[in-house]
Structure formats: structure tokens, C-alpha cells
Amino acid sequence: MRLLIMGTPGAGKGTQAKLLATQFNACHISTGDMLREAVRSGSPLGREARRAMDEGRLVPDDVVVGLVEERLDSPDCAQGFLLDGFPRTVAQARALDALLARRKEPLDGVVLIALPPERAVERLSGRRVCEGCGTMFHLRFDPPADPNQCTRCGGPLLQRDDDREETIRHRMDVYARETAPVLEHYRAVGLLREIDGAGEREDVYRRIVAGVQ
Ligand code: AMP
């Protein structure tokens, strides 16, 4: 299965992409996760990406396209991939089209998880991530036993720097300006499937699976 998972920040892309990747034995490629890992490791790429990420701006197209290109060669991507958070600009979408054409790996579909912006903001502002194992919680919808400690591994729970209110607003603006046109790019070739992103994660997951098969 080769799918793109799209939607505003907070729509649930990461959650759904992980579930789908496990179910369909495909790899989960999150450019946001890859960039955060580069920032943590302090690599030159991480240092370059950090400022843009903290401010909710996009990292340059050539940087993320390079990351995705390299990742697609990993053995765990041999049965397919779930791309999450990429492409985010029309230039990235065109680069991906060319890359997949070269690899003879056409997309099966592009899933748009649709959620009203105010609901997405509510999800983002309560989101907490375990620094140890990466498990995600939500202070209201999926609360940990202790708001500062991971229920799974005991690691510290943190709020992502870019999940603070002012940065969230900026990320939403960037989405409307840069990423919404990517949807039209895929709608025009008949690949786009719009899925209602409201409700429990299992319900959204079932809608996606029904929508892409
Ligand atoms: P995410 O975890 O997908 O919300 O991404 C977090 C941040 O990483 C974004 O706000 C951007 O700064 C950066 N980022 C992730 N994916 C991309 C991409 N495809 N193009 C440019 N910047 C990206």
C-alpha cells in the first residue's frame, strides 16, 4: 500500500499513519519525526531545520525531499509506505511525483483527514509526547495517569515547542497557504479521498480503510 496521509496539523495524520503502517506492513515516513530526530542529534541538517520548526515555518523543499528519497530505500518500505506530513508544498508534490515515477511505484491514493480547524487546535494544544518512548497522550481525550509522566514507560511527558498556541496559529496559516493547494494537485488526478476525521481514532481508521480499498 502506497498512500499519502494529509490534513491540517492536529487532524490525526501521525496516529492514523502508524495504525495503517502496522496493519499493511508498510513503513511510516513522517518528515516531522525525521526532522525532530535530526534536531535532537544536533546534525547540521538539524541545526538548519530547528529555527523554522520552532517558528512553525516550513523547512526548505530540497531538504525534506532528500530525506524522503533516502528513506524510501529502506528495507521496511519494500511493501509500501504511508507518507505523513509530506508533501507540504506543490513543489514537494511534483518532486514526489517524479521520484515515484522513476521508482515505478505509483500512489494508491491520497487521504485527506478533514477536521475543522478549531477541533484540530484543541487536539494540538492538549497533546503531550513521551520523551522516552514517543507515546502520545492528550490531557483531555487520552489523559495519562500523571500529567508529567508516561503511563507506558515512566518517561517525562513534554509539549512540543510548536504545539504552543501562537505557533499553532502560524502552522495553520502555513497549511492554508502552502499545503491546501497540494490537495488540488491530487484531486485533479483523481487520487484524493476525503475522510471525516472527527470522533474516536478507531472510527477514523475504519473510515480510511473503507475509503481506500
Ligand atoms: P509535523 O510533525 O508534520 O507537524 O511537522 C513539524 C514541523 O516540521 C513543521 O511545522 C515544519 O516546520 C517541519 N516539516 C515537517 N514536514 C515538512 C515538510 N514536508 N516540508 C517542510 N517542513 C516540514
Side-chain angles (χ1 to χ4, degrees), residues 8-10 13 30-33 35-36 49-61 63-65 68 84-89 92 124 127 160 162-163 167 171 174:
T8 62
K13 299 186 295 293
S30 156
T31 43
D33 284 352
L35 290 166
R36 277 184 289 279
R50 177 171 209 148
R51 192 122 163 251
M53 293 175 76
D54 282 351
E55 292 172 5
R57 287 185 289 113
L58 294 183
V59 171
D61 290 336
V63 172
V64 281
V65 170
V68 171
D84 151 21
F86 177 93
R88 257 178 159 96
T89 65
Q92 291 179 18
L124 288 172
R127 179 159 79 173
R160 272 170 49 175
D162 60 351
D163 279 348
T167 316
R171 289 164 67 199
V174 170

Side-chain angles (χ1 to χ4, degrees), residues 68-74 77 81 98-106:
V68 171
E69 184 164 13
E70 202 181 310
R71 181 74 175 87
L72 281 172
D73 281 332
S74 312
C77 298
F81 54 79
L99 178 60
L100 295 180
R102 271 203 307 279
R103 299 175 65 94
K104 300 191 172 46
E105 293 177 346

